[in-house]
């Protein structure tokens, strides 16, 4: 995600304050207009607030949002910078309501998406922009990618601006029990408006995630999660392009911006909270060593992610790197909820390579039970664009010799 | 002396012809005031021909509701028959002012023996007319006023009937058009379900149910077609046309604005002062009072004075005054006086009852009209926009393939039903407005300020 886009999203957050106030006023009006039967007292006590509590002022994102201090590329998502306090890297996360477009609209004229759709005679009309009212961190869904190094001491200051308590679980990290972020189990939940400070040392390396550790079914389905990358002190092999993709799935009723968090039938599928054709294309140069890290924070489905034209090696899981001898080749990696998979490959094969979930229902955007023509690409779909070293060079397979 | 006698005779017999111009002008003024239409009394073939030509001209260019009222007032034969009441009542008034003809009698006596023919002759005049004629005229004048009011009421009723028939036909036409759209819509729905079945989205059950709905809509459509035909017959009758006449069209839509109603009390006051039947009831009380006075004047109902002349067979002549009267010994007209008193009391009670009824009728019509206006306004300003918004939503997300066509069809179906509900309410609203007009005796939308008690 470009910083400019991020600032636009931040403006949305500020704008949402006013919207929320108006919305609240409208709710009051609606209730006045419709006499409802009295509600049992107990039920009243448990009526949750919706997306946003208008009484909680939303902070602007911390200044270190978008400061690239590592080298992970998280398409469509900004990284999170840190401050140093003595030997501790200090990260700030604000859990807050966020308005976000998971689909920006029609692909731009002449883009690869546009060309493909026109060539295939896709049905028009499925590009209606899809705005959501979700929960994220620092104005971003998913939350910014955190990068650190094995052995780092990190401090994560988490402020809760959600309308309900939360906590953050550091998924896969070996931390002291009180730092695990299981709200109500290892710590009191962070109440709205309150801040909680996590601090621990990173003893592992690999791809991890962070997500809500309180009322997870709802809060994770609202989008509350992000990637947490811990680099080893030294990589054994140089990686030219290192991508991180957080897989999420959502359920929306048509025209409703609020996710249905109780549904077990998701209808929107996203890479880093973008559905095709709004997913960013992964662009590399021919000959690059490429790593792609997948983390799945879906509530329901495993997603078999498939790349055309390549065979990769599965080099890591949520448990960290896989020893070379145990790695296995493939072109489809099944990423179950709560798991992580890292794949690596040499980008020898130039061109646009289709890259998508192979549950094909997940490669189109939300659609009804209606007679189907040729559907445009959507959902968990993007391309790997491998820029050839030489234009018009003859295609050669690696087995034909070194390129 | 001769001149004096001639003048007396002229006075007694004068104004004997029946002229109705003044009364007709009053009724016509009432019609213009209340309906906006100048009425025409067809009293000759030429009059009838002129009216027919005007009606034809109006029909040829299509008629608005106001023109329908004009046609009805020109052409309605019941109304034309009612106009004759004015002439009849006026003739009665003229008759009431006429003196009884003088009485002349002669007796000739022919002797069987000698002597000349004896003659007895007398001439007399009923002088009771001098005190009875003014009272009789008062009674007849009140009856003429009543007749004019009945004609006014008939004008209002005729105009109201024409308006009601016009609105009924016009609204039913719109409802028929809307139902036609519903019918087409239901067929589209059914076809779409058949289409969806090819893709595995619909079952035979869905199609059977849609088929039944299509047939139900067709049945409803056939019913409204029949109602429309009947409505045309009624409209033709209200306009005084032949029942099957269909060579004219209604032009213009029913007004959709809510009438700014005056206060209820204002309407009731106006009705109590101006409604023809209330005025008739009041005239009836006056009439009964005059009738009582007339009966009281009839204790000596026949008093004749005159001159008698006699020549007997011996040719002796004599002349002298003569008086003749019925002695009120047994019949002092007390029964008729009592009857008139009862009738007076009855008319007063009927007037009071009528006042109560008018208040109730106006209040009920007012409340119904107000309620219908409210409903119409809610449909127009709240339900229809919500239905429109639902369609826009359905179209938007159907085009984005996020909802299926059945939602869009359902949204369209709901809009059609609300449109029909609106048209029905509009029809009832106008019918009720006409009823309120009839019950108050004027067009309710007119400015009432400072006029209610005038």
């Amino acid at each position: 995600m470009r910083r400019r886009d991020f600032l636009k999203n931040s403006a949305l957050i500020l704008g949402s304050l006013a919207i929320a106030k108006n919305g609240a006023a409208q709710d009051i009006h609606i209730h006045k207009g419709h006499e409802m039967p009295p509600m049992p007292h107990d039920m009243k006590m448990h009526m949750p607030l919706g997306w946003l509590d208008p009484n909680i002022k939303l902070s602007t994102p911390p200044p270190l949002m978008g400061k690239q201090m590592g080298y992970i590329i998280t398409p469509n998502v900004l990284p999170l910078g840190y401050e140093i306090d003595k030997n501790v890297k200090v990260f700030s996360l604000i859990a807050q309501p966020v308005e976000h477009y998971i689909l920006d609209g029609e692909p731009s004229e002449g883009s690869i998406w546009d060309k493909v759709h026109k060539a295939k005679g896709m049905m028009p009309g499925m590009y209606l922009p899809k705005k959501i009212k979700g929960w994220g961190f620092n104005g971003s869904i998913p939350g910014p990618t955190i990068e650190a190094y094995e052995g780092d001491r990190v401090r994560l200051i988490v402020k809760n601006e959600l309308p309900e308590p939360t906590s953050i679980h550091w998924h896969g990290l070996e931390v002291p029990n009180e730092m695990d972020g299981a709200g109500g189990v290892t710590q009191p939940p962070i109440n709205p408006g309150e801040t909680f400070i996590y601090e621990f040392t990173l003893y592992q390396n690999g791809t991890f995630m962070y997500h809500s550790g309180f009322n997870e079914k709802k809060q994770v389905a609202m989008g509350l999660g992000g990637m947490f990358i811990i680099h080893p002190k030294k990589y054994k092999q140089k990686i030219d392009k290192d991508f991180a993709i957080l897989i999420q799935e959502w359920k929306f009723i048509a025209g409703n911006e609020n996710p249905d968090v109780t549904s077990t039938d998701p209808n929107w599928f996203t890479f880093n909270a973008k559905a095709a054709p709004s997913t960013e294309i992964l662009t590399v140069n021919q000959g690059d060593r490429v790593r792609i890290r997948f983390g799945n924070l879906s509530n329901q489905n495993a997603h078999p992610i498939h790349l055309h034209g390549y065979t990769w090696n599965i080099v890591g899981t949520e448990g960290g790197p896989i020893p070379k001898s145990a790695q296995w080749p493939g072109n489809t990696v099944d990423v179950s909820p709560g798991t992580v998979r890292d794949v690596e490959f040499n980008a020898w094969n130039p061109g646009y390579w289709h890259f998508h979930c192979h549950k094909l229902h997940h490669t189109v955007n939300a659609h009804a039970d209606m007679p189907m023509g040729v559907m445009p690409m959507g959902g968990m779909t993007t391309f790997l664009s491998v820029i050839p070293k030489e234009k018009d060079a003859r295609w050669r397979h690696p087995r034909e010799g070194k390129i | 002396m001769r001149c004096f006698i001639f003048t007396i005779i002229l006075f007694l017999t004068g104004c004997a012809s029946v002229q109705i111009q003044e009364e007709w002008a009053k009724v016509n003024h009432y019609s213009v005031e209340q309906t906006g239409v100048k009425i025409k009394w067809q009293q000759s073939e030429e009059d009838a021909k002129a009216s027919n030509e005007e009606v034809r001209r109006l029909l040829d260019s299509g008629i608005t509701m106001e023109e329908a009222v004009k046609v009805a007032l020109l052409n309605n034969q019941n109304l034309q028959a009612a106009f004759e009441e004015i002439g009849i009542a006026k003739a009665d008034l003229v008759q009431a002012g006429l003196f009884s003809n003088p009485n002349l009698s002669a007796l000739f006596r022919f002797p069987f023996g000698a002597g000349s023919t004896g003659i007895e002759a007398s001439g007399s005049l009923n002088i009771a007319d001098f005190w009875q004629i003014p009272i009789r005229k008062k009674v007849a004048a009140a009856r003429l006023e009543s007749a004019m009011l009945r004609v006014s009421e008939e004008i209002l009723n005729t105009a109201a009937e024409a308006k009601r028939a016009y609105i009924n036909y016009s609204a039913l036409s719109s409802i028929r058009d809307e139902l036609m759209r519903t019918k087409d819509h239901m067929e589209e729905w059914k076809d779409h379900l058949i289409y969806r079945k090819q893709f595995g989205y619909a079952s035979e059950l869905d199609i059977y149910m849609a088929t039944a709905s299509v047939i139900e809509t067709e049945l409803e459509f056939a019913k409204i077609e029949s109602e429309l035909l009947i409505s045309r017959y009624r409209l033709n009758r209200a306009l005084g046309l032949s029942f099957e006449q269909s060579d004219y069209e209604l032009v213009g839509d029913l007004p959709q604005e809510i009438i700014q109603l005056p206060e209820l009390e204002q309407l009731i006051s106006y009705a109590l002062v101006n409604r023809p039947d209330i005025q008739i009831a009041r005239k009836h009380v006056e009439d009964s009072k005059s009738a009582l006075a007339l009966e009281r004047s009839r204790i000596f109902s026949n008093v004749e004075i005159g001159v008698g002349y006699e020549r007997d067979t011996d040719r002796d002549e004599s002349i002298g005054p003569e008086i003749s009267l019925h002695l009120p010994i047994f019949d002092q007209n007390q029964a008729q006086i009592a009857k008139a008193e009862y009738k007076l009391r009855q008319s007063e009670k009927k007037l009071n009852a009528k006042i109560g009824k008018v208040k109730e009728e106006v209040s009920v019509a007012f409340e119904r009209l107000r309620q219908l206006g409210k409903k119409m306004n809610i449909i127009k300003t709240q339900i229809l926009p919500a239905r429109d918004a639902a369609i826009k939503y359905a179209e938007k997300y159907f085009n984005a393939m996020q909802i299926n066509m059945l939602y869009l069809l359902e949204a369209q179906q709901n809009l059609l039903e609300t449109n029909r509900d609106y048209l029905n309410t509009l029809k009832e609203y106008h019918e009720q407005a006409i009823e309120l007009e009839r019950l108050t005796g004027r067009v309710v939308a007119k400015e009432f300020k400072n006029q209610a008690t005038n």
Side-chain angles (χ1 to χ4, degrees), chain B residues 70-203:
Chain B
K70 197 170 184 182
V71 170
L73 295 182
L74 280 171
N75 210 32
N76 187 295
Q77 291 308 302
N78 277 335
L79 184 61
Q80 288 294 325
F83 292 161
E84 305 297 340
E85 285 287 327
I86 300 171
I88 293 167
K90 185 63 188 276
D92 286 343
L93 174 61
V94 171
Q95 180 64 48
L98 296 181
F99 275 83
S100 309
N101 288 325
N103 186 29
L104 183 63
S105 63
L107 174 65
F108 297 93
R109 287 197 293 273
F110 302 104
F112 291 109
S116 62
T117 303
I119 299 172
E120 282 181 40
S122 69
S124 65
L125 188 68
N126 187 0
I127 62 165
D129 282 349
F130 282 105
W131 60 85
Q132 285 182 0
I133 280 179
I135 301 170
R136 282 209 310 262
K137 279 180 75 175
K138 204 172 171 187
V139 171
R143 286 175 184 166
L144 174 60
E145 285 286 326
S146 294
M148 286 161 63
L149 288 168
R150 278 197 301 277
V151 170
S152 301
E153 191 179 26
E154 190 65 29
I155 289 169
L156 281 186
N157 288 341
T158 304
E161 194 185 356
K163 279 187 185 177
R164 204 179 290 118
Y166 184 97
I167 283 164
N168 190 271
Y169 186 81
S170 179
L172 282 178
S173 298
S174 300
I175 293 168
R176 193 266 315 264
D177 294 346
E178 205 61 28
L179 204 55
M180 170 74 99
R181 280 190 277 277
T182 304
K183 191 164 83 71
D184 293 345
H185 186 78
M186 294 305 295
E187 278 162 6
E188 190 185 346
W189 192 318
K190 183 185 145 192
D191 292 344
H192 185 68
L193 281 171
I194 293 167
Y195 176 62
R196 280 174 66 83
K197 187 166 171 282
Q198 299 173 66
F199 296 87
Y201 301 138
S203 69

Side-chain angles (χ1 to χ4, degrees), chain B residues 376-422:
Chain B
M376 206 166 92
N377 195 41
I378 287 172
I379 295 176
K380 193 174 171 182
T381 61
Q382 294 179 44
I383 303 178
L384 280 172
R387 296 281 189 227
D388 278 333
I391 287 191
K392 283 193 181 78
Y393 167 90
E395 279 174 349
K396 181 176 177 183
Y397 291 103
F398 169 68
N399 289 333
M401 290 180 67
Q402 291 183 30
I403 59 172
N404 69 42
M405 195 177 176
L406 294 180
Y407 286 99
L408 177 58
L409 290 168
E410 188 181 358
Q412 288 169 340
Q413 174 70 7
N414 287 339
L415 177 68
L416 289 168
E417 279 171 16
T418 303
N419 275 342
R420 287 217 306 282
D421 190 19
Y422 179 72

